[in-house]
Amino acid sequence: MADMNSPHSGLRNFTTTYRYGKLLLLLCFFACKSVFAQSTLPFDNFRMNDGLPSSEVYHVLQDSRGFMWFGTDHGVCRYDGYIFKTFTTADGLADNTIFECIEDYKGRIWFRSYSGKLSYYYHDSIFSLPVNEQLRNLLQQSHITSLVVDSTDNLYITNSLVSGFVKIDLKQKNSIRFIPLPSKIAYLINVSHAAEPLIGTTYGINGKWSTDAYSFISLYTISPQDTCPQFQVKIAMDKSNERPLLWYIQAIRTQSGDIAFSYDNSFLILHKDKITFSYFFNDHITKLGCDKHGRIWIATNNEQPAYYFNGKIMRLSVMKVLQDKQISFVTSDDEEGLWLTSLTNGIYYLNPLDYGIRTEEDGLPGNKINRLILAPDSSVWVTTSPGSVITIINHDTLTQRKVEPLTNSTTINSILFHKDNTVWISSGEGLYIYDDKDKFHVLDVRLKFGEKDIAQTGDGSVWINCSGNVKLFRREKDSIHFKKVINVGAAVTKLLEKPDNSLWLATLNGLWEYVNDSLINLGKKYPVLEKRVDDITLSPRGDLWIATRDTGLIALNKNRLIYVNVKNGLVSNFSHCLSFDYKGNLWVGTNTGLSQIILLYDEQGNCRIDSIKNTVSPNLKEINCIACNKNIVYVGTNNGLVSFDMNKMNTNKTPPPVYITGWKINNKDIAVSPTNLKLGYDENNIVINYVGLTYRDPSHILYRYRMDGIDTGWIYTQYTVVQYPKLPPGEYSFLVSARNSDGVWSKGYATVSFVIAPPFWNIWWVKLLVCILLILVVYWRIRVVLNRDRIKAEANQKLTEMELRELREQMAPHFLFNNLNTLSYLVESKSPDASVFVDELSKYFRYSLQSRNVEFTELSNELQQAQRYIHLLRIRYGDKLVVKWDIDEKRSGYFISNHSLQLLLENIIKHNVVSVESPLFVEIKTTETNTLIVKNNLQPKIGSEESTGLGLKSIDERYYLLYKRNIKVTRTADSFYVELPLLTPNEYESADN
């Protein structure tokens, strides 16, 4: 769609006409498309297959940072020389049809849309104006025709349907109000503190215009403090028979402060309140644009674009190919490259080099230029492939000569201007010799070898390349005499005679030298010269320069090799042809562009590269040959012949701005410009994207970067991304700068700084805290060990005392006397139990002595000792002592205090009556709660000593000292029982450790 007004209920007739006009324009646009496709243009053409979202482009802007912005029918695009990044409504854009991009004093880029809604780009984000709906209502749902922002953040907006304009105070919460103007006028408002003026018309309510509407421009002024514009003067216009088209009124401010504006097909310059310049085009002026060089670019419906500069309307000759191509806007960038937007064919970019292009349309026999040969009279002879016609260029005049008897299907491979004034022409049909270059009559002598390249020696002999064999001939009068042949064994691409009559041979198998009847393979001495060589030439200093297929250039200077490739600035490593100019500088034709190499020599004749200038253009690709004729450089390509004045080449001296465009941490995108960024120790996989902005030759921009904190020097690359996968903790600053293809570096560096924190265990205060904690732990451990040892020593002492006391109890006289009396009785009565009693008594004492140092023993051992003791008691008391056992065998491996059971049994016998009338019942059993209960019926002895409780206390102390456990003693009216804890093997081992 084109930039036009929306339908309105009060303007039905106008809108209907408008719609048909738009349809007609679009049909014209598409009709021109096929014609355009047949033309050979000196422009880069960016279209949808290059990343544009639409071929319908309305506007182009280079912002203050250097990025190019394009308003299209499917969003707004930002271009950095590599890719088009598109923003749409999904990114916050108010509308996808963007007519204009405008940058204000803060760097915000405003987008004027078809719907009448506004949005802007700021700090890498798109924002819609919050009062868009109010704005649309004030503008009667129509789109905006003009907007400006002053330096106090007031936004002024006009359109052609309302009698006035809208003012929005962006600082005061977007407060919006309508300011009325008289109806049915064309007006111009000079806004103070704003880069551009406002311009528009106020359409009559009844659809009719007053006479003043197309006879005068009403001039107003307004400042941020004004509540309404101040009328200045009416400026008379040339009357027209037709009313002006509303959407063709434009105005911009010139660098001198004047106002340039268009009114239908009129272009005018307004100085104060007077028109100082006027020009009338044959078509409606659609857009005005002022570039950074002061030129006012003027786009019309069908005429070729023009520009106003220093009081003149001027046109570039190359612009004629864009006539009728519906160019919607034109501007130039900081590097003087020209950008043109089209309503049907996307974007055109013109390199600032001013050159001429000749193709078949300009009279050449063909577009593929095969050879360029400089004649002795400084004319340039041009051959095409195929073709038997030679085009001769002499002082920009073209003449053509048909080479008889060659057919049109053949190709002229080489032309030699012989010392005898004859002209030798080699082709696929053979070698022909003509009497001179003017008459061009073929002589009778001819060779039928299918010749390619030819070279002349100092004595007038001629080397002829005959498809693998190189033969030497000498012409005498009207006959040719064969002298010798060189069998190279590979296809020869170029012959070059040396001053000493020897010969250089460029072949598919590298470089060879023929000298003194010997063929020398230079690839054996220099292995790099074993590869295919496309062209060779000698410099004015006598150095041999070699164009290779994939290694770039190689120079043989004083027995040393000089390498020139893309790493040090060559436009491409696929170099095809070479030519030296009159200044001694080398021109190199490649598959992608043209390079000029500036050479310097020291006093010893050592050569070095001073600089390399690259030129890239759609018409400077696939270069086949180059010829330098004084200051004019001729370049033959597959698409025509290009020529330009080398002294007028505009070196790109604009430093390319460079920016960090994005970066990732652990493969996660983060903000482009983080501040005071502190990362964790594991957030150390860093990827940084950057870009240098140059549009002349973005494919050959060179970057250098360094990460302070890890890199020791600059790293050079052509890539726009770098990754640091495992950065150690520390402080880092990343710096990057860019160099354009003419060797100019950025003024400064794009940089980003961040800190990767060490892991918490490596922080100094954490280390100190850990050391303090370790000291405290060690101190605590020592105290614990010392205290445990002290407690253990005290416990051992108590245990020892208890053992001695128990041993004394066991060895007490009454116990010993009782047992001896019992033994005496058994002996006297000759009882058979005497021997059993002695045996059990000895086992009892033996166990007591062996286990005296054991604090706890297995329950099975204690039960066994108790059974011995009870056995001794039964021999003494017989059936008066009844013992009941209830022991769970699963707990026989549990542990119990040593001698505790025996001590309880001794206390039972000591303090209770054992008689026939009063048998003593004792029950020994284990429980599910891992205890051993010793219970007896209570029948105390009369007159016996009161129990001291030392035995029970000794057992309890032993349990508590070693295992923090206690025994349980229970006394009732008729029974007494003690509950001893049983320790599991795990409890015993853990407590013991």
Side-chain angles (χ1 to χ4, degrees):
M1 62 182 63
D3 185 353
M4 58 185 179
N5 293 305
S6 298
H8 188 266
S9 59
L11 305 173
R12 184 171 302 167
N13 295 334
F14 170 76
T15 303
T16 304
T17 305
Y18 184 80
R19 285 178 174 174
Y20 284 119
K22 177 191 173 185
L23 180 60
L24 180 60
L25 287 175
L26 288 179
L27 291 175
C28 293
F29 295 165
F30 286 108
C32 294
K33 183 176 180 181
S34 61
V35 176
F36 173 80
Q38 298 174 3
S39 301
T40 302
L41 296 177
F43 297 91
D44 281 318
N45 186 202
F46 301 102
R47 305 182 72 175
M48 293 185 65
N49 57 354
D50 299 300
L52 275 177
S54 170
S55 293
E56 192 171 347
V57 185
Y58 304 105
H59 193 261
V60 56
L61 165 76
Q62 185 176 34
D63 66 21
S64 56
R65 301 177 68 203
F67 291 95
M68 304 302 301
W69 291 86
F70 301 96
T72 80
D73 194 43
H74 290 80
V76 63
C77 291
R78 188 182 72 178
Y79 182 57
D80 60 10
Y82 295 93
I83 60 172
F84 290 91
K85 182 177 180 180
T86 301
F87 300 91
T88 64
T89 53
D91 304 295
L93 206 62
D95 187 359
N96 283 332
T97 300
I98 302 300
F99 289 145
E100 189 174 18
C101 308
I102 302 166
E103 186 174 16
D104 66 16
Y105 73 103
K106 292 180 66 174
R108 292 171 299 197
I109 300 174
W110 293 86
F111 306 118
R112 183 170 66 87
S113 71
Y114 175 74
S115 66
K117 296 180 180 180
L118 288 178
S119 49
Y120 61 91
Y121 173 90
Y122 195 52
H123 289 168
D124 300 309
S125 297
I126 301 284
F127 304 92
S128 287
L129 192 65
V131 293
N132 267 329
E133 290 304 322
Q134 293 174 258
L135 176 63
R136 292 193 70 215
N137 290 334
L138 289 174
L139 297 179
Q140 300 183 12
Q141 308 298 318
S142 178
H143 71 272
I144 296 167
T145 57
S146 179
L147 69 90
V148 297
V149 181
D150 67 22
S151 59
T152 61
D153 235 19
N154 289 307
L155 178 61
Y156 301 88
I157 303 164
T158 68
N159 79 348
S160 299
L161 298 183
V162 296
S163 298
F165 61 95
V166 176
K167 181 180 179 181
I168 301 175
D169 191 337
L170 300 174
K171 288 184 178 179
Q172 297 298 324
K173 298 182 179 179
N174 300 305
S175 63
I176 183 170
R177 65 191 182 94
F178 179 77
I179 299 175
L181 285 174
S183 61
K184 295 181 286 186
I185 65 169
Y187 63 86
L188 181 65
I189 303 177
N190 199 350
V191 181
S192 64
H193 307 290
E196 303 295 348
L198 277 175
I199 193 167
T201 59
T202 58
Y203 193 72
I205 297 176
N206 57 4
K208 295 181 180 181
W209 286 81
S210 67
T211 304
D212 286 352
Y214 53 87
S215 299
F216 296 93
I217 289 285
S218 297
L219 182 62
Y220 293 83
T221 62
I222 192 171
S223 67
Q225 295 78 25
D226 294 335
T227 56
C228 61
Q230 304 296 317
F231 174 77
Q232 296 294 305
V233 67
K234 281 186 178 181
I235 302 171
M237 303 291 295
D238 288 340
K239 293 185 178 181
S240 172
N241 293 326
E242 297 181 1
R243 63 179 183 178
L245 297 176
L246 303 183
W247 57 91
Y248 287 146
I249 300 177
Q250 305 287 328
I252 59 172
R253 198 180 305 277
T254 68
Q255 284 188 342
S256 63
D258 295 339
I259 295 176
F261 68 96
S262 66
Y263 191 76
D264 194 11
N265 63 341
S266 302
F267 173 79
L268 306 104
I269 299 295
L270 180 65
H271 177 70
K272 296 182 179 179
D273 57 355
K274 293 183 180 180
I275 295 176
T276 59
F277 178 87
S278 61
Y279 187 90
F280 302 98
F281 288 82
N282 295 324
D283 205 348
H284 300 299
I285 298 174
T286 58
K287 198 68 178 173
L288 302 180
C290 183
D291 65 22
K292 297 177 181 179
H293 308 286
R295 294 172 295 196
I296 306 295
W297 288 95
I298 306 163
T300 66
N301 267 344
N302 296 300
E303 287 188 78
Q304 68 184 81
Y307 66 91
Y308 168 82
F309 189 68
N310 288 339
K312 296 180 180 179
I313 296 293
M314 308 179 71
R315 303 178 190 269
L316 295 178
S317 59
V318 74
M319 288 290 187
K320 64 182 181 181
V321 299
L322 295 179
Q323 188 170 349
D324 301 327
K325 300 302 184 293
Q326 295 302 320
I327 300 302
S328 56
F329 194 72
V330 185
T331 192
S332 64
D333 59 30
D334 292 336
E335 300 172 322
E336 297 188 11
L338 201 62
W339 296 87
L340 304 96
T341 59
S342 166
L343 296 180
T344 56
N345 293 286
I347 303 164
Y348 299 108
Y349 171 74
L350 177 64
N351 191 295
L353 177 64
D354 187 10
Y355 51 79
I357 305 172
R358 294 182 176 91
T359 63
E360 284 184 285
E361 296 177 356
D362 303 295
L364 289 182
N367 284 336
K368 184 175 182 180
I369 309 302
N370 189 48
R371 286 289 187 271
L372 294 171
I373 300 94
L374 190 62
D377 63 356
S378 296
S379 62
V380 179
W381 291 38
V382 184
T383 69
T384 59
S385 177
S388 60
V389 176
I390 297 176
T391 302
I392 302 174
I393 303 175
N394 195 352
H395 299 293
D396 210 30
T397 301
L398 273 67
T399 58
Q400 292 183 341
R401 294 184 180 178
K402 177 71 170 64
V403 181
E404 300 291 350
L406 299 182
T407 61
N408 291 332
S409 60
T410 191
T411 298
I412 296 175
N413 296 317
S414 186
I415 300 174
L416 171 66
F417 298 96
H418 199 274
K419 294 180 178 181
D420 61 4
N421 291 326
T422 56
V423 180
W424 298 49
I425 299 177
S426 67
S427 70
E429 296 178 359
L431 175 71
Y432 292 82
I433 304 175
Y434 298 83
D435 55 356
D436 58 59
K437 66 182 184 64
D438 294 325
K439 296 180 181 178
F440 225 55
H441 295 160
V442 63
L443 300 178
D444 293 335
V445 180
R446 65 187 67 177
L447 302 173
K448 287 285 188 178
F449 297 132
E451 293 81 359
K452 296 185 180 297
D453 200 20
I454 52 181
Q456 184 176 193
T457 67
D459 63 358
S461 299
V462 177
W463 289 100
I464 302 175
N465 176 15
C466 305
S467 301
N469 293 326
V470 178
K471 298 179 180 180
L472 182 64
F473 293 88
R474 183 172 178 82
R475 179 173 179 266
E476 296 179 356
K477 295 184 180 180
D478 292 338
S479 61
I480 291 180
H481 301 281
F482 170 76
K483 297 181 67 175
K484 64 178 67 175
V485 63
I486 304 173
N487 295 313
V488 182
V492 178
T493 56
K494 182 65 181 292
L495 299 176
L496 179 63
E497 67 277 9
K498 299 175 65 177
D500 59 358
N501 292 330
S502 57
L503 190 66
W504 295 102
L505 299 95
T507 75
L508 298 183
N509 291 337
L511 183 65
W512 299 71
E513 183 182 14
Y514 182 76
V515 58
N516 296 329
D517 293 332
S518 297
L519 190 61
I520 302 171
N521 182 4
L522 294 181
K524 292 183 178 180
K525 184 177 182 181
Y526 307 107
V528 70
L529 298 180
E530 289 183 336
K531 298 181 179 180
R532 173 176 174 173
V533 177
D534 277 6
D535 196 9
I536 50 178
T537 189
L538 286 174
S539 73
R541 295 278 191 132
D543 298 328
L544 181 67
W545 286 83
I546 306 157
T548 69
R549 174 63 65 161
D550 58 0
T551 315
L553 289 183
I554 302 171
L556 192 57
N557 169 245
K558 297 178 71 66
N559 294 320
R560 69 185 182 99
L561 296 182
I562 300 174
Y563 297 90
V564 185
N565 48 46
V566 293
K567 291 183 179 179
N568 47 16
L570 195 66
V571 70
S572 172
N573 283 338
F574 291 88
S575 50
H576 297 320
C577 51
L578 307 170
S579 180
F580 277 93
D581 60 31
Y582 74 97
K583 294 181 179 180
N585 298 317
L586 180 63
W587 293 83
V588 185
T590 73
N591 61 323
T592 60
L594 184 67
S595 294
Q596 181 189 21
I597 302 177
I598 311 301
L599 303 177
L600 293 179
Y601 288 85
D602 60 19
E603 295 179 355
Q604 289 74 36
N606 295 310
C607 178
R608 68 178 179 87
I609 308 298
D610 178 67
S611 62
I612 299 177
K613 299 179 181 179
N614 295 321
T615 304
V616 177
S617 169
N619 290 86
L620 288 175
K621 299 182 184 297
E622 296 181 301
I623 299 174
N624 301 318
C625 48
I626 304 174
C628 297
N629 188 7
K630 298 180 181 179
N631 59 309
I632 304 300
V633 178
Y634 295 90
V635 183
T637 74
N638 284 350
N639 297 307
L641 177 65
V642 179
S643 61
F644 58 88
D645 188 339
M646 57 179 283
N647 294 329
K648 294 182 180 180
M649 285 192 66
N650 190 2
T651 301
N652 185 6
K653 297 180 181 180
T654 304
V658 61
Y659 301 102
I660 305 293
T661 57
W663 62 320
K664 296 181 179 180
I665 299 176
N666 293 348
N667 295 319
K668 182 180 179 181
D669 291 315
I670 66 168
V672 173
S673 301
T675 56
N676 302 321
L677 185 64
K678 294 183 179 180
L679 306 177
Y681 73 93
D682 56 345
E683 295 177 309
N684 59 351
N685 184 3
I686 307 298
V687 178
I688 301 176
N689 294 86
Y690 47 85
V691 65
L693 301 182
T694 179
Y695 303 103
R696 283 199 187 183
D697 186 12
S699 61
H700 291 91
I701 192 169
L702 182 68
Y703 298 93
R704 61 183 177 189
Y705 67 85
R706 183 182 73 224
M707 181 73 82
D708 286 343
I710 191 168
D711 292 331
T712 57
W714 291 107
I715 300 172
Y716 293 82
T717 182
Q718 286 188 303
Y719 293 104
T720 59
V721 61
V722 62
Q723 181 175 16
Y724 292 89
K726 291 183 180 180
L727 286 176
E731 296 183 3
Y732 296 98
S733 291
F734 178 80
L735 298 91
V736 61
S737 63
R739 189 195 75 179
N740 64 26
S741 57
D742 284 328
V744 179
W745 285 96
S746 307
K747 288 183 178 180
Y749 300 98
T751 181
V752 62
S753 299
F754 57 94
V755 176
I756 297 180
F760 70 90
W761 58 83
N762 277 343
I763 302 175
W764 69 269
W765 60 267
V766 174
K767 292 181 179 180
L768 179 60
L769 180 61
V770 170
C771 290
I772 293 173
L773 290 175
L774 286 176
I775 293 172
L776 292 176
V777 169
V778 171
Y779 175 75
W780 171 80
R781 181 63 179 169
I782 292 173
R783 289 292 302 271
V784 168
V785 171
L786 291 176
N787 189 52
R788 187 181 64 184
D789 291 344
R790 180 181 60 77
I791 294 173
K792 189 173 182 180
E794 292 175 353
N796 288 335
Q797 183 178 358
K798 289 184 179 180
L799 290 172
T800 301
E801 292 175 354
M802 287 187 289
E803 290 171 0
L804 291 174
R805 185 168 61 247
E806 290 172 2
L807 184 60
R808 284 194 299 269
E809 289 291 332
Q810 291 176 358
M811 303 301 293
H814 70 273
F815 175 78
L816 182 60
F817 290 155
N818 287 338
N819 284 291
L820 291 177
N821 289 333
T822 302
L823 179 61
S824 176
Y825 171 77
L826 293 175
V827 171
E828 289 178 357
S829 62
K830 296 182 181 180
S831 172
D833 293 330
S835 60
V836 176
F837 185 85
V838 172
D839 185 51
E840 290 297 325
L841 185 61
S842 65
K843 289 181 179 179
Y844 172 80
F845 281 114
R846 184 183 302 112
Y847 178 80
S848 297
L849 293 173
Q850 290 177 348
S851 61
R852 68 182 183 276
N853 294 325
V854 178
E855 305 299 339
F856 278 76
T857 185
E858 290 184 4
L859 178 61
S860 59
N861 295 331
E862 187 69 8
L863 291 175
Q864 190 177 12
Q865 179 72 346
Q867 287 173 352
R868 294 190 187 100
Y869 182 68
I870 291 172
H871 186 71
L872 294 174
L873 293 175
R874 278 182 173 174
I875 293 175
R876 179 180 176 186
Y877 295 107
D879 295 337
K880 293 175 288 185
L881 178 63
V882 180
V883 179
K884 181 181 178 182
W885 302 85
D886 186 7
I887 303 300
D888 186 355
E889 291 298 328
K890 293 187 297 182
R891 290 174 173 79
S892 61
Y894 285 24
F895 288 83
I896 192 172
S897 178
N898 196 18
H899 299 304
S900 57
L901 181 56
Q902 175 190 335
L903 183 57
L904 294 179
L905 292 174
E906 289 178 358
N907 285 340
I908 291 172
I909 298 300
K910 179 179 179 181
H911 298 291
N912 290 280
V913 174
V914 183
S915 64
V916 176
E917 295 81 6
S918 301
L920 184 61
F921 293 94
V922 179
E923 183 180 5
I924 302 172
K925 66 177 181 178
T926 58
T927 68
E928 294 296 327
T929 58
N930 293 337
T931 60
L932 178 71
I933 295 178
V934 179
K935 182 178 181 182
N936 65 282
N937 56 327
L938 191 60
Q939 42 191 26
K941 291 181 179 180
I942 299 174
S944 63
E945 298 178 359
E946 186 178 352
S947 174
T948 62
L950 293 177
L952 294 176
K953 184 178 180 181
S954 174
I955 297 173
D956 188 62
E957 287 180 350
R958 185 180 298 173
Y959 267 101
Y960 185 78
L961 286 172
L962 295 178
Y963 298 102
K964 305 300 180 185
R965 307 279 282 273
N966 294 102
I967 67 175
K968 184 178 181 181
V969 179
T970 304
R971 183 187 181 97
T972 64
D974 57 358
S975 65
F976 181 89
Y977 65 89
V978 178
E979 192 170 357
L980 302 176
L982 296 178
L983 302 176
T984 66
N986 289 335
E987 291 174 332
Y988 171 75
E989 292 177 1
S990 62
D992 189 56
N993 293 332

